[in-house]
Amino acid sequence: QNRNRTDLKAKKKMECVFGLVGKGFAIVAADTSAVHSILLHKNNEDKIMLLDSHKLVAASGEPGDRVQFTEYVQKNVSLYKFRNGIPLTTAAAAKFTRGELATALRKNPYSVNILMAGYDEESGASLYYIDYIATLHKVDKGAFGYGSYFSLSTMDRHYREDMSVEEAIELVDKCILEIRSRLVVAPPNFVIKIVDKDGARDYAWRQSVQDVTTAAV
């Protein structure tokens, strides 16, 4: 049982999720590797979910918890808009997510860490850090996993609050390069998504390895 817990903690840290807020936008990036033990099952797993038209959730953690919990949050955010006719703000969605993690923590906890990015007309772009023990912080930049050792230090060195989209993407690429260069088991592929006044959407995929295929027997 202790070994399983150790494996789970290592699996959570193997993933690389990070994000930052610029001038009128927020960007999140995540690796696309689906890994179990020493096996790579696929390298095109999208770990960034569109919560609604102006919100993104980048998640890391145990795959079942990650998918189940992020879908649960997504459906409840949609339900709120359907019932009330207005969407939740990014801050409200983050607090709801934190509350659900806190409730589950005392029953059957979810092994999932989240970066939630969004854009609101009144407050602009924002990024929220929510970990598996229901810690919530509004941040300018954040990261989870072993890749955070390199992405956070790179962002600390180069980040500015007034960055343009082009400058922010250049910084994201620097973080990816550092992770690939210095992490001994670095994931090869990343997906980058952006949210601004025009909505949440895919920005780019950074692929150094093509999709995993199984040879015919």
Side-chain angles (χ1 to χ4, degrees):
Q1 187 176 5
N2 289 335
R3 185 176 64 182
N4 291 337
R5 289 178 180 176
T6 302
D7 291 343
L8 181 58
K9 289 179 180 179
K11 189 188 302 181
K12 286 194 297 182
K13 291 184 177 181
M14 291 297 294
E15 296 180 293
C16 301
V17 177
F18 59 95
L20 58 90
V21 178
K23 188 176 182 180
F25 65 90
I27 289 176
V28 287
D31 76 279
T32 62
S33 299
V35 178
H36 181 264
S37 184
I38 62 170
L39 299 179
L40 173 66
H41 293 291
K42 59 189 295 191
N43 52 23
N44 60 354
E45 177 81 3
D46 190 350
K47 299 174 184 177
I48 306 177
M49 172 180 284
L50 270 67
L51 203 58
D52 65 18
S53 62
H54 286 76
K55 296 180 190 65
L56 293 169
V57 168
S60 67
E62 198 280 323
D65 285 358
R66 172 172 54 81
V67 173
Q68 180 182 357
F69 185 72
T70 53
E71 287 185 352
Y72 171 77
V73 172
Q74 182 192 52
K75 303 310 178 188
N76 275 274
V77 168
S78 298
L79 178 62
Y80 180 90
K81 183 178 180 180
F82 177 76
R83 283 178 171 173
N84 298 279
I86 57 173
L88 284 170
T89 64
T90 307
K95 290 174 183 177
F96 168 79
T97 303
R98 185 262 171 198
E100 293 301 312
L101 283 172
T103 300
L105 187 63
R106 292 156 179 81
K107 299 176 181 178
N108 187 20
Y110 290 101
S111 177
V112 59
N113 299 308
I114 286 174
L115 286 178
M116 182 179 293
Y119 183 91
D120 303 292
E121 289 186 8
E122 294 184 359
S123 56
S126 56
L127 180 69
Y128 289 87
Y129 171 106
I130 314 166
D131 69 13
Y132 73 103
I133 56 173
T135 301
L136 171 64
H137 290 291
K138 184 179 181 181
V139 296
D140 291 328
K141 53 190 182 297
F144 287 110
Y146 283 134
S148 66
Y149 295 120
F150 310 108
S151 58
L152 283 177
S153 59
T154 302
M155 288 189 287
D156 283 341
R157 175 64 180 84
H158 299 284
Y159 174 79
R160 301 192 325 274
E161 291 183 358
D162 61 344
M163 297 184 80
S164 66
V165 173
E166 292 74 18
E167 290 172 328
I169 291 298
E170 183 179 351
L171 177 52
V172 168
D173 285 335
K174 285 181 180 178
C175 293
I176 292 174
L177 179 60
E178 284 297 312
I179 292 169
R180 286 175 173 171
S181 302
R182 305 187 64 184
L183 188 59
V184 67
V185 282
N189 300 338
F190 288 80
V191 57
I192 304 169
K193 296 189 181 183
I194 187 171
V195 58
D196 57 18
K197 61 182 177 60
D198 297 321
R201 59 197 182 276
D202 285 15
Y203 185 88
W205 287 66
R206 298 292 190 251
Q207 294 180 295
S208 60
V209 174
Q210 296 302 312
D211 294 348
V212 172
T213 57
T214 304
V217 178

